[in-house]
Amino acid sequence: MTPFSIVVAMDQNRGIGREGKLPWRLKRDLQYFKEITTRTRDKSKRNAVIMGRKTWDSLPAQFCPLPNRVNVVVTRNKDLELPQGVLRAESLDQALELLTKGALSNTVEDVYVIGGAQIFQQAIVRQECRKIYLTQILHSFDCDTFFPPFTDHFQHEASSPRYVENGISCLFAEYSRKTAV
Ligand SMILES: NC(=O)c1ccc[n+]([C@@H]2O[C@H](COP(=O)([O-])OP(=O)(O)OC[C@H]3O[C@@H](n4cnc5c(N)ncnc54)[C@H](OP(=O)(O)O)[C@@H]3O)[C@@H](O)[C@H]2O)c1
């Protein structure tokens, strides 16, 4: 079992995307995403980010791959060409396995699942999914892609104060998996 966390930004309706892109442009959230997924306690290690192929396709060229992190792309396409160093996995299971077995197991610190909806759906039901780093965008956007309901199985741990960017209120929240009683 490889424990991992989810990092997601969602609006008031759990919307996360539209037409293959993020529906908003919020710099502070991108900075938060970078910090969470990049920082390590052991400076000799890197974190890993696991994403679906559509999220991979949506990354802007300068962040493709996401720097200073092991990038893993989940796809059923065996012929998908990826830049050197970017790993391809045929399932979420295989992605998690790649990171804990073999050469990478000693060099990867934490694992983050970063979307999109298809991959979140498969990740959130797994017991190894321990934590959700959520950017709550307190606004409704026109979305076509949604994060699954999660509060039955995850409890609120902490929230930052609200802040406003581009006239939109946001906050950073952390949720952890409820333990069975
Ligand atoms: N707000 C946020 O925090 C956030 C984060 C990430 C993404 N997004 C948004 O979410 C949207 C993309 O999400 P999405 O759900 O459409 O796509 P996605 O989850 O990023 O990628 C879906 C693709 O992943 C592969 N895949 C999924 N399940 C698989 C499995 N079990 N085994 C093997 N491959 C599998 C398939 O790739 P192939 O088709 O290549 O086989 C599938 O087409 C975009 O709008 C993006 O901007 C938002």
Side-chain angles (χ1 to χ4, degrees):
M1 287 232 304
T2 312
F4 64 85
S5 301
I6 278 175
V7 189
V8 61
M10 72 178 81
D11 80 352
Q12 301 190 131
N13 312 308
R14 279 187 281 100
I16 64 163
R18 177 165 172 81
E19 294 178 347
K21 291 182 268 187
L22 291 178
W24 46 75
R25 187 168 157 67
L26 296 167
K27 273 194 174 171
R28 192 159 160 189
D29 173 53
L30 295 178
Q31 186 60 35
Y32 179 74
F33 171 84
K34 181 182 164 189
E35 270 168 36
I36 294 281
T37 56
T38 309
R39 70 179 180 201
T40 52
R41 297 170 295 283
D42 178 342
K43 295 297 164 217
S44 70
K45 293 187 174 184
R46 286 187 302 165
N47 293 327
V49 286
I50 298 175
M51 71 197 95
R53 192 266 308 160
K54 291 185 181 174
T55 295
W56 168 259
D57 284 347
S58 78
L59 294 178
Q62 72 270 31
F63 299 121
C64 195
L66 290 166
N68 307 316
R69 286 149 281 183
V70 177
N71 285 228
V72 187
V73 180
V74 182
T75 176
R76 295 184 179 87
N77 179 1
K78 292 187 168 53
D79 301 322
L80 181 70
E81 286 191 23
L82 294 167
Q84 203 177 6
V86 176
L87 305 176
R88 191 181 68 80
E90 288 174 17
S91 63
L92 179 58
D93 261 331
Q94 199 192 55
L96 292 166
E97 233 175 75
L98 279 173
L99 297 169
T100 44
K101 294 197 177 142
L104 281 170
S105 59
N106 294 324
T107 57
V108 168
E109 192 169 88
D110 292 329
V111 177
Y112 295 95
V113 168
I114 61 162
Q118 288 185 35
I119 299 301
F120 284 145
Q121 195 98 42
Q122 296 164 50
I124 204 161
V125 293
R126 301 177 67 123
Q127 289 301 312
E128 312 98 284
C129 177
R130 302 276 164 82
K131 198 159 179 176
I132 300 173
Y133 292 93
L134 165 65
T135 302
Q136 183 70 66
I137 301 166
L138 304 165
H139 188 84
S140 290
F141 284 85
D142 185 13
C143 294
D144 60 16
T145 319
F146 295 85
F147 193 79
F150 62 98
T151 49
D152 280 356
H153 297 290
F154 287 82
Q155 65 195 18
H156 178 258
E157 294 287 353
S159 284
S160 73
R162 289 184 185 196
Y163 66 92
V164 179
E165 185 175 352
N166 302 341
I168 297 165
S169 285
C170 306
L171 60 82
F172 301 120
E174 292 181 20
Y175 286 78
S176 63
R177 181 173 287 285
K178 290 179 183 171
T179 44
V181 277

